[in-house]
Amino acid sequence: MAVNICGTGSYIPAHIVDNNDIAKLVDTNDEWIRERTGIVRRHIVDGETTVSMACEAGRRALKDAGISAEEIDLLVVSTISSNIILPCAACEVQKGLGALHATCFDLSAACTGFVLAYNTAAAYLAGGIYRTALIIGSESLSNLINWKDRGTCILFADGAGAAILRADDQKDSPKSYLPVTHSDGERGCALLLKSRHDRNFLSAASSQQDVDYEGEEYFMQMDGKAVFQFAVKKVPEVIREVLEKNQVQQEEISWFLLHQANRRIVESAAKRLGEPIEKFPMNIQEYGNTSSASIPILLDEMNKKGMLKPGQKLILAGFGAGLTWAASLLDWVE
Ligand code: COA
């Protein structure tokens, strides 16, 4: 059975922190951040939570699809930064939306999470187990950042994106494709967060209060170079793999939606694949790296701008902590 995306939505916090704001916290500057990452500003929670953003993104996706919350059979939230541990974020979103009939669970695979949520929901739908799924990537990474570590605080940010998937058993519906997914736990130390706290240190750091950053296990730690090298090699590889697995030619792909981690990673993938950069839409300049929210936010922006046309083939490619990386192919039908 084919599976289609029939609605998208996103929620971006209004509060903006630009590179100059960050330069007041750590030894960095706007020019360095733009040049090395492509990021100009990012949006940071100011009262919102991972769950509240997920609810709003989900609500907007339902509206876009023109369906009611009660039609959802499966609700998956991809997140590493939920404000609540039990119950899972997906159950909280169910409550918020009134998705009474949904089976709900969270998925934790960092920046590859949304692609894995898409694959998971698509497999359930293709198998005839459920008919309609809501998948959401929602992150408030600003809570997990040491705002005195210039290697990470320049990159990560907050937001949520969502998509509605529907099983389609019409005769002329497009075919389903097989995803490609990989994990390498041996290299997990490249991007690490060992424990959790419940405070956001940005406002304290911004008002020059003394912040106790003792206990680095409470913050993201990253070997930026190792992650960069992994991404520039594995992203083009996994895209080639998914094309080959599904016997689709690269020139048939209209859009490559890559996780928005760093402009240079996206540019390198385009170059290695021999594709024009215009086929790799980016919004990292505005939102920074929002982990599992980045691909659905980008998808929603493209959808709302009318960039996606029926019949176009898209590749979604995620990569990040784990290490994990994955690519999925889909036909746009909305
Ligand atoms: N501002 C100013 N200077 C900085 C800086 C900052 N925020 N961070 C590092 N530097 C300095 C370094 O100290 C170094 O100085 P030196 O040459 O005098 O020693 C120089 O800039 C280069 O540092 P380097 O660490 O080699 O920078 P980089 O080009 O690797 O860029 C990252 C750093 C983090 C932007 C880059 O490695 C990256 O984006 N990695 C991938 C991270 C990622 O995407 N993670 C999420 C995956 S889902």
Side-chain angles (χ1 to χ4, degrees), residues 26-29 32-33 36-37 111 150-151 154-156 191 222-225 227-228 259 261-262 264-265 289 319-321:
V26 289
D27 180 16
T28 191
N29 58 73
W32 194 96
I33 301 172
R36 307 307 292 168
T37 71
C111 307
R150 69 177 182 174
I154 58 165
L155 295 173
F156 296 104
L191 188 40
M222 183 179 71
D223 179 345
K225 264 196 176 20
V227 177
F228 192 92
H259 165 50
N262 184 314
R264 290 187 297 140
I265 293 174
N289 178 345
F319 54 92

Side-chain angles (χ1 to χ4, degrees), residues 103-334:
T103 293
C104 306
F105 57 88
D106 290 358
L107 191 151
S108 169
C111 307
T112 314
F114 185 79
V115 179
L116 296 183
Y118 173 82
N119 295 343
T120 304
Y124 272 114
L125 267 52
I129 297 166
Y130 304 117
R131 182 165 158 66
T132 307
L134 168 58
I135 56 171
I136 304 174
S138 184
E139 306 285 6
S140 31
L141 303 175
S142 62
N143 294 332
L144 310 179
I145 288 167
N146 176 348
W147 288 95
K148 292 289 175 199
D149 172 14
R150 69 177 182 174
T152 51
C153 76
I154 58 165
L155 295 173
F156 296 104
D158 307 335
I164 308 277
L165 271 60
R166 266 231 147 134
D168 180 354
D169 52 10
Q170 301 293 310
K171 262 210 205 95
D172 57 350
S173 60
K175 61 181 279 208
S176 285
Y177 300 102
L178 296 171
V180 175
T181 58
H182 294 287
S183 305
D184 179 4
E186 290 291 337
R187 290 198 279 168
C189 57
L191 188 40
L192 204 60
L193 175 62
K194 290 187 190 156
S195 193
R196 243 192 234 243
H197 62 88
D198 58 0
R199 288 165 294 169
N200 185 319
F201 289 93
L202 175 59
S203 57
S206 302
S207 57
Q208 305 297 327
Q209 286 173 34
D210 268 345
V211 177
D212 178 10
Y213 282 106
E214 289 298 312
E216 58 183 17
E217 71 269 20
Y218 294 126
F219 304 102
M220 263 198 253
Q221 297 164 58
M222 183 179 71
D223 179 345
K225 264 196 176 20
V227 177
F228 192 92
Q229 284 161 4
F230 144 76
V232 294
K233 183 165 185 294
K234 293 300 183 186
V235 173
E237 267 180 30
V238 77
I239 289 174
R240 286 204 179 96
E241 276 182 84
V242 82
L243 289 166
E244 198 178 317
K245 194 169 189 174
N246 292 287
Q247 299 287 294
V248 170
Q249 301 303 311
Q250 194 175 299
E251 50 272 24
E252 293 177 58
I253 305 301
S254 299
W255 302 107
F256 298 84
L257 279 77
L258 270 50
H259 165 50
Q260 304 287 291
N262 184 314
R263 170 176 284 276
R264 290 187 297 140
I265 293 174
V266 180
E267 286 170 347
S268 164
K271 198 167 165 200
R272 286 183 189 218
L273 289 163
E275 289 285 350
I277 193 67
E278 291 71 27
K279 287 170 81 174
F280 292 70
M282 279 187 259
N283 59 14
I284 187 158
Q285 63 281 3
E286 180 64 34
Y287 304 125
N289 178 345
T290 57
S291 192
S292 67
S294 85
I295 291 176
I297 291 172
L298 186 62
L299 185 71
D300 184 47
E301 276 193 350
M302 293 175 72
N303 185 21
K304 300 290 158 61
K305 284 182 188 162
M307 293 166 70
L308 304 171
K309 310 281 182 223
Q312 287 185 334
K313 288 191 189 338
L314 276 55
I315 284 184
L316 313 181
F319 54 92
L323 298 173
T324 54
W325 62 108
S328 295
L329 185 57
L330 59 102
D331 287 318
W332 188 257
V333 297
E334 201 199 13

Side-chain angles (χ1 to χ4, degrees), residues 62-74:
L62 284 168
K63 188 168 177 225
D64 186 46
I67 66 169
S68 76
E70 292 183 13
E71 290 177 68
I72 300 167
D73 308 305
L74 174 67

